[in-house]
Amino acid sequence: MNTKFLNYKFKFIDQNIDIKKLRPNKSYDYLIKNRNQSLTRLLKSKKKLKKFLIPRDCPSCKSKKKIKVCTKDSLNIVKCKNCELVYVSPIFNYDHYINLYTNKEYQNIVKKIGEASHKYRKKRFGVERFKILKEFFKKRKCNLLEIGCSTGFFLEEAKSNGWNVKGIELNPSAVSFAKKKGIDVINEDYVKIIFKKKFDIICAFDVLEHLFDPLKIIKKIKKDLKKNGLFFLYVPNWQSATRLLIGEKNSHFIWPTHHLTYFTPKTLEKFLAKQGFKVIFWETQGLDLEDINWYLSHKKKNNNILKKFSSKLQFMINSSGYGKNLRMLVKKI
């Protein structure tokens, strides 16, 4: 990994995230409890589950050679022997994942978390994302597309700053919510949409890990971008402090029914470079300490030390590239 692009911070900066506003009314507990939705019963029967699963080659290099990393929720997480990408195999078919993000159960999860915290997310994360992009995109006008825009909090912020924005989202309730905010959102599968004009910037925040075939999406993103266009994405970081400290079983971002591919800074850069993208910025941010504190409190274990120093410890985790959330901005070349 070319670490010269890591936005290393030598001076302490507090992430300044209000957990109560981000995860209101115990919505995080609700997510963990209902994370596998209607699949829960099926996952308990290996014999029945096997009938629904199909083999999967490496999403990046298409190699069939892999080694098992662990099993969680009755699904195998493996690592490619060729390029070291970590992914779930076997998995359900393509239609299953499309249906998963449109069903009522998932809509309820988004309502509980996304809609309730929309205003806060716009103010805290929408502003932050727009600020990062403005550092690298200097033109006044911008045509921006966000894939998997959820309730549209980032698009709302970008639009308020004069950018032309469009969103794509599978979740009908999230689309309805975003449209009420005046955001142009399409309720369709991205791979099936043909755009007449190309975009200056395409964003996909916490989307790539959910995709049946992320390589296919990346190729389409490159096609839909203008020359030297920017692609800004967030994915969970496999090499995060959360996984390293409390393991795969207790790390909530390791969610094999929904998160099908797990990147590190190195494997993500390699994945994107092969498709004609050059990294111009990357960093990790995260709520590793919050999630570890959540785990310890539910296990009734003492975590006073972590709580006392959590903001400073998280800063050190982020600065070294081990934050749970991996952010990367790349340019089409």
Side-chain angles (χ1 to χ4, degrees):
M1 179 68 197
N2 194 341
T3 53
K4 72 177 183 178
F5 294 108
L6 175 59
N7 188 21
Y8 187 83
K9 300 174 180 67
F10 293 91
K11 184 179 179 181
F12 171 70
I13 301 174
D14 194 326
Q15 288 188 144
N16 193 28
I17 297 174
D18 189 325
I19 293 297
K20 290 183 179 180
K21 290 182 179 179
L22 180 63
R23 301 170 175 174
N25 305 317
K26 294 188 176 181
S27 56
Y28 191 68
D29 296 67
Y30 179 84
L31 169 63
I32 301 306
K33 184 180 179 180
N34 297 279
R35 64 195 187 94
N36 290 326
Q37 304 165 59
S38 58
L39 287 173
T40 303
R41 185 175 296 180
L42 177 62
L43 293 171
K44 291 180 180 179
S45 174
K46 291 183 179 180
K47 188 176 180 180
K48 290 182 180 179
L49 179 63
K50 194 174 181 180
K51 296 179 181 178
F52 294 91
L53 299 178
I54 57 176
R56 187 190 191 201
D57 297 334
C58 175
S60 180
C61 70
K62 300 303 178 182
S63 171
K64 296 181 183 295
K65 297 179 180 180
K66 51 186 176 283
I67 56 173
K68 183 178 173 182
V69 175
C70 66
T71 298
K72 186 174 182 180
D73 297 330
S74 300
L75 297 172
N76 291 332
I77 298 176
V78 301
K79 179 187 282 188
C80 177
K81 285 187 175 182
N82 181 49
C83 71
E84 299 186 326
L85 183 67
V86 176
Y87 60 99
V88 179
S89 179
I91 58 175
F92 296 95
N93 65 28
Y94 181 81
D95 290 336
H96 164 84
Y97 295 105
I98 295 298
N99 293 333
L100 185 67
Y101 299 111
T102 59
N103 68 36
K104 288 290 183 181
E105 290 174 290
Y106 194 77
Q107 289 184 61
N108 288 337
I109 288 175
V110 174
K111 281 178 179 289
K112 190 86 173 179
I113 298 175
E115 292 185 17
S117 63
H118 174 91
K119 188 175 180 180
Y120 176 72
R121 288 173 187 265
K122 175 183 178 292
K123 182 179 179 181
R124 172 60 184 82
F125 301 108
V127 171
E128 179 185 60
R129 293 172 187 182
F130 181 79
K131 184 179 179 181
I132 292 172
L133 284 171
K134 280 298 291 181
E135 289 183 24
F136 298 94
F137 188 84
K138 303 297 183 181
K139 296 178 182 178
R140 181 176 296 180
K141 290 188 176 181
C142 172
N143 288 320
L144 179 143
L145 172 70
E146 184 182 0
I147 303 166
C149 66
S150 188
T151 60
F153 66 88
F154 166 64
L155 293 178
E156 187 178 358
E157 175 61 25
K159 183 180 178 181
S160 71
N161 281 275
W163 285 9
N164 297 318
V165 304
K166 186 180 291 290
I168 298 171
E169 175 57 48
L170 288 173
N171 187 322
S173 66
V175 171
S176 177
F177 185 92
K179 285 184 174 181
K180 289 176 182 177
K181 296 286 184 179
I183 308 300
D184 180 11
V185 182
I186 304 171
N187 185 206
E188 291 183 37
D189 183 355
Y190 172 58
V191 297
K192 297 179 180 179
I193 302 172
I194 299 174
F195 295 102
K196 294 180 179 180
K197 295 182 179 180
K198 294 184 182 293
F199 297 92
D200 298 294
I201 300 173
I202 296 178
C203 298
F205 303 116
D206 304 306
V207 170
L208 213 62
E209 67 273 15
H210 290 267
L211 302 178
F212 181 88
D213 186 356
L215 186 60
K216 186 175 182 179
I217 301 297
I218 295 301
K219 288 180 177 179
K220 178 167 170 51
I221 287 170
K222 186 180 180 183
K223 184 179 178 181
D224 288 335
L225 277 172
K226 294 179 181 178
K227 183 180 179 181
N228 296 319
L230 301 178
F231 175 40
F232 193 21
L233 69 156
Y234 288 13
V235 293
N237 183 13
W238 177 257
Q239 71 173 24
S240 71
T242 301
R243 182 184 70 85
L244 295 173
L245 291 172
I246 63 175
E248 290 85 2
K249 180 182 177 182
N250 300 308
S251 298
H252 297 144
F253 79 92
I254 300 178
W255 188 13
T257 55
H258 290 63
H259 293 176
L260 310 181
T261 309
Y262 299 89
F263 295 94
T264 66
K266 181 180 178 181
T267 58
L268 183 58
E269 180 190 39
K270 188 185 296 185
F271 176 72
L272 294 169
K274 283 170 62 178
Q275 301 309 315
F277 289 97
K278 179 181 179 181
V279 177
I280 57 176
F281 161 84
W282 77 274
E283 67 175 0
T284 67
Q285 295 284 325
L287 292 170
D288 299 81
L289 271 298
E290 284 293 338
D291 288 352
I292 292 169
N293 283 334
W294 187 95
Y295 162 73
L296 291 173
S297 65
H298 280 70
K299 291 293 182 180
K300 306 263 190 294
K301 294 183 179 182
N302 189 305
N303 60 330
N304 290 331
I305 294 177
L306 281 178
K307 284 184 176 180
K308 185 176 180 180
F309 299 108
S310 60
S311 60
K312 290 183 173 63
L313 285 170
Q314 187 65 60
F315 167 75
M316 289 186 279
I317 288 168
N318 292 338
S319 294
S320 59
Y322 286 89
K324 190 179 70 172
N325 187 269
L326 169 59
R327 306 169 172 186
M328 193 169 283
L329 180 64
V330 296
K331 179 186 289 189
K332 175 181 173 180
I333 56 175

